[in-house]
Amino acid sequence: MVDQVCGQLRQAGAVAVVGPTGFGKSAVLDAVCTVWQSSGDPVVRLSSAPADAHLPYVPLVDLFTVCPVDVRGELPDVQRSTIDWVLRRVTGPEPDPAILRVTVLSCLRAWGRRARLLLAADDMHWWGPDSLDVFGFAARRSRGSVSLLAALRPDGPLPHDVLGGDAVEIAVPTLSPQESAAVVRSFGIPLRTAARIHTATGGNPRLVSDIAAGLARSGAPAVLDAQPLAPYARKALRAWQAGLAAPVHRVLLLAALAADPSLDAVRRAAGPSADAALADAEAAGLIRVTGTVVFPAPVVREAVLAEAGGLAVRQAHLALAAAASEAGDRIWHEASALSPARLPAGLVTSLADAATAARESGDHTRAAEFGLLAGGRADDARHDLLVAAALDAESAGRFDLARTALDELDRNRAAPTARARARLAVVDAAGRGAALVEHVAARALAEATAAGEPALISAAHLRLARGLRWHRGCHAQALAHARSAEEWAERAGDAVTRASAVALTARIEQSRGTPDHAAVLQSALAAGTPAGIGPVPEEPRRVAVGFALLDDRLDEAGRLLDELRPADRPADRLWLLGSAVQIHAHRGEGSLACQEAHRLLALTRDLGASPGPPWYAAATAELAGGTLQQALTYAELGSTASQEDADSVCTAHCLHLSGMTRLLLRDVGGALADLLRVRDLVQGLGIVDPAEVRYDADLAEALFAAGDIPAAMRTVADARRRAEELGRRGVLASLDRAEALCHAAAGEFGPAEELLKRAMRTFERLGHPLQCGRVLLTHSSVEQRRRRPARARELRATADGVFRRAGAPLWAPARPDGARVPVWLAGLTDAERRVAELVTEGRGNRDIAAALYVSVKTVEAALTRIYRKLDVRSRVHLMALVQKDGHHACR
């Protein structure tokens, strides 16, 4: 954006940077001024503050204070006297406005003849009318003499009034989700919280930064933290609302509390002053008014409620109740105006009925809110309402509401059965972050056991098995809990939970490489389940979709997925979209995969769900229909988010995609570092099936590109043995491709060509066009090595056509470096590698600096980065790592 503004300044001479409060207009001005000054040209920055708005000509003080003496000397006496009056060097009556206008104009023209002056005006919404009048007069007439830059709010002066009719207007956009994540991550805040901050702020840069900084000062929040965000942006929000009249504050409170925030409803509650107050609030950027009143930054709504007193809130609820046209809305506001202890029995019954109606209509968030309001009394008869609220919150994907219901049940010492049910809802609402609330599932199991409830015991075992599988992989504990879930479900006569437990057992056995896992799944499917998508990730038909993908039966996976549509629960929609992305991507339908991925990411942000799997799906989609750089960005985000969620399985998937993408981008060292981490993770998780995380062929190709062909061949041989035992055709074809490179490097072109032809036939049968294209590119590389340039060009052109038709980036293979890259150097930049190599030779920092012609500080900074990347703490540890790697290489 700075480049855009600078370019327009050179071309048009006048630019207005426009955006609401907090969008970073001043930051843009700062950056542009820095660029301008770096060329040796002068910059004058004019600004004001709320306290100065009533004072005349305050911004002109900035101009005249720095005006060079020779420029002032060129002006006539009357104009120099006018400058002295503005600077309060002399007293006397205020100068004639006409003289003041001409004085500013003359000053700018004289200065402009001596230098390429930039006049940057900031905070113009705080300028008084006198200052705006004088500045506008001079600015419009000094074009060509000086360059003009102004920062304006939508509710402030108009660009053509202050800069002239041909001024270029550039709007400051909101931060994208990725940009918000980058800002928040710089403060060490988890990615799930970053997504929540982006949604709460609407991408307002100032609010994003302030909230992240505030959270960091108070200690980085837990991944599943649901604490209020408004207190961390209180200063910015108060400044944003400063100067608003009392009617505006009242209409904002009504809009923030309204169950129905339609324009008509807010008007009825606010009375005759509504339209004017709404217009003022919208002009300030606090709300957006269409058919409804919307807070673009929902944290503003939270702040309005936090700043309002109890009496004001009660009065607002009563006004909204009186104005409500729907019975449910009226009940909601009447109950909200009372404390939980004062709710009459009749109103509690009405709230419960309203929760049921909302649930039946599919609005589970509203149902949960009604249930929480109705169940707020410390009364055993209301605990069932809180349990229902927790279940509704889980259905809506609202971890915060489910946790609130559980906290109420704990506070009221509800029966173990009620608390166990609510705890299971909290675990389900956590999604892929279930490992972070493993203690909640364990406590639910203890409470269910104490209550003697076989169905609840089974459900708790199932949740524990699921969380352990995501966190620790094919751990014996996960399998034991899955089998216990099956046993207790059979005792309870719960066919649905039993089928899910059997399906989860099949999933764990598949990852462990047990050959009869398909038969176990068939027994779960034979039990039969209700129509529609199942309520848990282990529902047998969901597992069947996963098995079809693992076995490269894409058409069957698509058919099974279609049978599970549509889905009502947000969590189910997340799974459906993620599965659809995988199917479209494997089929080479890149555009469709990207569309589904964008929908998936938007839904994830709205729900505050675990972002790891959606980022992984988005990276997969970008590889099939986007760009390699964007795929790498998504894969890195997914890896970070999954590690924060303690989701080791998804971490391995994301690292595989980042390693593969780095390989395609010719970053062999980075690819090798990622793929070696995948290997360690997969082995630690106990995953034996090579189709679970298909990294082996890419690791072999990275080792080949790094010059370690023996290690590449060992990787292929080990994976081939496992893939042949399980009949993984797609994995075997990928291994054929990687092995062909190794044979070609040894001059064995006949075996290499046979392997590539076999891989091509397999991928054609399986319907994997992008994999076919990758084989063609590898074949082209082999033919180039074989010194058949015409055939190599022909194969590459065919591959180009494959990727072009799919809309995918070219998956060209990385070329071998010619020398083996030691494993311990993987992931370092070239400069860092050279420093590390010199350290291992025993050289000190000064010797290294002299050898590389850099400063000692540069060497020290490089070492800090090396230690962090290699997870070592000193030179001694670095030397130990080198010796360990050398030992493994010899073995």
Side-chain angles (χ1 to χ4, degrees):
M1 187 168 188
V2 171
D3 291 340
Q4 182 186 7
V5 172
C6 289
Q8 291 294 344
L9 279 173
R10 287 191 294 270
Q11 183 175 345
V15 175
V17 177
V18 183
T21 297
F23 268 47
K25 301 182 296 297
S26 296
V28 173
L29 260 64
D30 287 342
V32 171
C33 291
T34 299
V35 171
W36 198 275
Q37 288 173 314
S38 67
S39 301
D41 296 312
V43 172
V44 176
R45 187 76 173 266
L46 312 181
S47 62
S48 188
D52 303 330
H54 66 286
L55 299 175
Y57 312 122
V58 167
L60 301 183
V61 172
D62 297 328
L63 172 64
F64 293 146
T65 299
V66 298
C67 180
V69 174
D70 58 336
V71 170
R72 292 183 59 186
E74 187 176 323
L75 304 179
D77 291 343
V78 65
Q79 292 182 3
R80 289 200 298 273
S81 299
T82 300
I83 292 175
D84 289 337
W85 182 90
V86 170
L87 295 176
R88 302 301 189 265
R89 292 173 179 167
V90 297
T91 58
E94 179 178 326
D96 186 319
I99 295 177
L100 190 54
R101 292 183 193 132
V102 174
T103 299
V104 174
L105 177 60
S106 300
C107 178
L108 293 178
R109 284 177 171 171
W111 199 345
R113 287 193 291 270
R114 289 166 170 76
R116 194 172 68 107
L117 174 65
L118 173 64
L119 194 63
D122 200 2
D123 297 320
M124 297 194 78
H125 51 282
W126 297 124
W127 288 27
D130 296 329
S131 299
L132 287 172
D133 174 68
V134 170
F135 178 86
F137 173 88
R140 291 190 297 272
R141 288 162 176 79
S142 62
R143 295 279 291 279
S145 300
V146 300
S147 296
L148 303 167
L149 177 62
L152 302 172
R153 288 196 335 192
D155 60 327
L158 296 176
H160 69 265
D161 288 342
V162 294
L163 299 178
D166 55 347
V168 175
E169 184 175 340
I170 298 177
V172 184
T174 59
L175 294 179
S176 70
Q178 286 175 248
E179 290 166 339
S180 290
V183 173
V184 175
R185 285 295 298 161
S186 69
F187 290 94
I189 308 297
L191 273 172
R192 190 185 285 217
T193 305
R196 181 172 167 238
I197 291 173
H198 176 79
T199 300
T201 61
N204 181 298
R206 170 72 182 279
L207 295 179
V208 169
S209 181
D210 282 359
I211 291 172
L215 286 171
R217 283 194 298 270
S218 64
V223 173
L224 290 170
D225 181 70
Q227 62 181 299
L229 298 177
Y232 300 103
R234 184 171 288 133
K235 182 178 179 181
L237 290 169
R238 281 179 175 169
W240 199 349
Q241 299 177 59
L244 296 178
V248 181
H249 284 283
R250 181 170 181 269
V251 81
L252 285 172
L253 179 59
L254 290 168
L257 291 171
D260 169 25
S262 68
L263 182 56
D264 288 340
V266 175
R267 279 172 172 165
R268 288 195 301 270
S273 63
D275 285 340
L278 287 168
D280 288 345
E282 186 172 29
L286 294 165
I287 59 174
R288 187 170 59 248
V289 180
T290 53
T292 58
V293 181
V294 178
F295 287 88
V299 74
V300 173
R301 175 184 179 276
E302 184 185 320
V304 168
L305 296 177
E307 294 292 324
L311 178 60
V313 169
R314 181 174 180 276
Q315 290 174 340
H317 273 302
L318 291 175
L320 288 163
S325 58
E326 297 290 335
D329 294 342
R330 184 177 65 257
I331 292 166
W332 168 261
H333 289 297
E334 288 176 353
S336 298
L338 301 172
S339 65
R342 296 181 58 194
L343 285 179
L347 192 52
V348 171
T349 302
S350 297
L351 286 168
D353 292 342
T356 301
R359 186 179 307 119
E360 291 174 349
S361 70
D363 190 350
H364 290 282
T365 297
R366 195 73 178 132
E369 292 171 340
F370 275 122
L372 287 170
L373 197 53
R377 295 172 61 187
D379 184 346
D380 289 342
R382 307 296 173 227
H383 293 163
D384 55 339
L385 295 174
L386 289 172
V387 172
L391 295 172
D392 282 319
E394 184 275 320
S395 295
R398 291 291 301 272
F399 177 84
D400 55 334
L401 296 180
R403 186 82 223 195
T404 300
L406 175 59
D407 290 344
E408 281 294 310
L409 288 166
D410 280 342
R411 187 172 62 83
N412 293 333
R413 295 184 176 85
T417 300
R419 282 183 281 171
R421 291 184 189 280
R423 286 190 212 288
L424 295 179
V426 167
V427 173
D428 288 345
R432 296 287 292 223
L436 301 174
V437 289
E438 184 181 332
H439 62 288
V440 177
R443 198 166 164 193
L445 177 59
E447 289 166 340
T449 303
E453 292 276 358
L456 274 178
I457 295 172
S458 172
H461 276 298
L462 185 64
R463 270 68 176 182
L464 283 165
R466 179 202 309 159
L468 285 166
R469 189 181 79 81
W470 285 335
H471 180 35
R472 303 181 199 171
C474 308
H475 200 274
Q477 278 183 277
L479 192 57
H481 278 296
R483 288 173 173 161
S484 294
E486 178 186 350
E487 177 186 339
W488 282 100
E490 193 164 356
R491 290 190 199 180
D494 186 345
V496 173
T497 302
R498 181 185 178 280
S500 296
V502 174
L504 179 56
T505 300
R507 193 75 174 84
I508 296 172
E509 294 286 21
Q510 167 266 316
S511 295
R512 288 158 58 98
T514 306
D516 63 347
H517 61 268
V520 177
L521 176 61
Q522 287 303 316
S523 69
L525 289 166
T529 52
I533 195 167
V536 292
E538 298 77 26
E539 197 276 330
R541 288 168 302 171
R542 289 205 203 190
V543 177
V545 173
F547 276 19
L549 283 170
L550 288 169
D551 204 30
D552 297 295
R553 293 176 277 116
L554 298 183
D555 290 341
E556 182 179 344
R559 177 180 58 78
L560 291 171
L561 194 69
D562 288 339
E563 291 175 359
L564 291 173
R565 299 175 189 270
D568 293 328
R569 293 161 22 106
D572 299 335
R573 293 201 296 275
L574 288 174
W575 178 82
L576 281 169
L577 286 169
S579 300
V581 168
Q582 298 297 325
I583 293 170
H584 287 310
H586 291 321
R587 286 174 173 169
E589 300 164 348
S591 177
L592 289 173
C594 287
Q595 289 174 25
E596 298 284 54
H598 291 152
R599 291 175 57 199
L600 175 62
L601 291 174
L603 180 59
T604 301
R605 289 191 297 271
D606 291 343
L607 296 174
S610 176
W615 286 127
Y616 167 69
T620 304
E622 285 292 322
L623 280 171
T627 67
L628 294 177
Q629 287 291 354
Q630 189 61 61
L632 180 59
T633 298
Y634 284 150
E636 290 175 334
L637 287 168
S639 175
T640 301
S642 297
Q643 289 177 71
E644 292 170 351
D645 273 354
D647 187 346
S648 302
V649 172
C650 192
T651 300
H653 281 293
C654 292
L655 280 171
H656 168 223
L657 282 194
S658 66
M660 172 185 167
T661 307
R662 290 184 201 280
L663 189 63
L664 300 177
L665 289 168
R666 306 292 200 275
D667 178 9
V668 176
L672 195 56
D674 283 347
L675 293 167
L676 287 171
R677 284 184 63 195
V678 176
R679 184 184 66 184
D680 293 342
L681 262 177
V682 166
Q683 291 175 353
L685 291 167
I687 296 174
V688 174
D689 188 346
E692 179 80 15
V693 184
R694 303 189 183 205
Y695 75 96
D696 295 280
D698 292 312
L699 174 57
E701 192 169 324
L703 289 166
F704 164 79
D708 195 347
I709 296 177
M713 288 297 288
R714 287 195 300 271
T715 299
V716 169
D718 180 54
R720 187 180 294 283
R721 175 184 54 78
R722 291 179 282 121
E724 287 174 345
E725 289 173 357
L726 296 170
R728 297 306 193 195
R729 298 170 294 171
V731 173
L732 288 168
S734 295
L735 294 171
D736 285 343
R737 185 200 73 240
E739 186 177 346
L741 286 169
C742 298
H743 281 297
E748 300 166 353
F749 296 110
E753 188 166 1
E754 287 303 312
L755 285 168
L756 290 170
K757 287 180 178 178
R758 185 170 71 181
M760 191 69 177
R761 289 193 300 270
T762 301
F763 282 131
E764 285 176 342
R765 284 197 301 270
L766 296 176
H768 284 282
L770 297 182
Q771 293 294 346
C772 289
R774 192 173 184 185
V775 173
L776 287 167
L777 287 169
T778 302
H779 201 166
S780 173
S781 176
V782 169
E783 291 297 321
Q784 191 71 41
R785 180 183 289 271
R786 204 173 180 177
R787 298 186 180 179
R788 294 181 175 180
R791 176 61 175 157
R793 287 194 297 271
E794 179 186 346
L795 289 166
R796 185 177 180 87
T798 306
D800 284 347
V802 170
F803 285 97
R804 196 179 303 111
R805 284 191 297 274
L810 198 67
W811 293 5
R815 296 171 184 170
D817 292 343
R820 179 179 179 270
V821 177
V823 171
W824 67 276
L825 284 180
L828 303 183
T829 65
D830 291 340
E832 290 166 352
R833 287 179 188 174
R834 186 63 183 136
V835 170
E837 287 168 346
L838 292 172
V839 168
T840 62
E841 294 174 6
R843 300 200 192 188
N845 289 359
R846 291 186 180 277
D847 292 338
I848 296 172
L852 299 180
Y853 300 99
V854 297
S855 68
V856 174
K857 286 188 176 181
T858 299
V859 174
E860 291 170 348
L863 278 173
T864 299
R865 294 193 300 272
I866 292 166
Y867 293 162
R868 184 178 67 250
K869 289 182 178 181
L870 300 182
D871 195 24
V872 296
R873 295 187 298 275
S874 67
R875 303 168 82 94
V876 174
H877 287 109
L878 181 60
M879 293 294 291
L881 179 66
V882 176
Q883 292 171 1
K884 180 181 177 182
D885 180 62
H887 175 66
H888 285 312
C890 292
R891 290 179 63 189

